[in-house]
């Protein structure tokens, strides 16, 4: 099983768009989730995913950080 990543965002809309992008890339593990304030002080919504992070294919202007 691939290692899970968690992405944090500046806005909830950015998280929704990122989840849609990963769904179109057929990531079987993609899911939205709340993230603690230690990870994101912005919207508090994150996306868990299992595909290797590729900033070219997974480009999103609201992306704050990606954690492994």
């Amino acid at each position: 099983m691939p290692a899970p990543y968690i992405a944090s965002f500046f806005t909830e809309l950015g998280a929704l768009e990122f989840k849609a992008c990963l769904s179109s890339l057929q990531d079987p593990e993609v899911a939205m989730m709340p993230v603690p304030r230690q990870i994101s002080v912005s919207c508090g919504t994150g996306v868990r995913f299992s595909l290797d992070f590729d900033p070219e294919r997974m480009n999103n202007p609201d992306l704050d950080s990606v954690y492994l």
Side-chain angles (χ1 to χ4, degrees):
M1 176 176 223
Y5 291 88
I6 297 176
S8 63
F9 299 87
F10 295 112
T11 67
E12 194 167 326
L13 178 60
L16 286 166
E17 291 172 342
F18 192 75
K19 181 183 181 288
C21 172
L22 289 167
S23 293
S24 72
L25 294 173
Q26 300 181 352
D27 186 334
E29 302 293 322
V30 67
M32 290 185 67
M33 59 185 285
V35 294
R37 290 283 174 205
Q38 294 88 342
I39 291 178
S40 175
V41 296
S42 294
C43 74
T45 302
V47 175
R48 183 179 187 273
F49 62 101
S50 61
L51 294 177
D52 287 333
F53 180 64
D54 179 356
E56 301 248 343
R57 291 189 314 158
M58 301 172 185
N59 187 19
N60 185 301
D62 286 327
L63 182 66
D64 180 23
S65 299
V66 176
Y67 300 89
L68 180 60

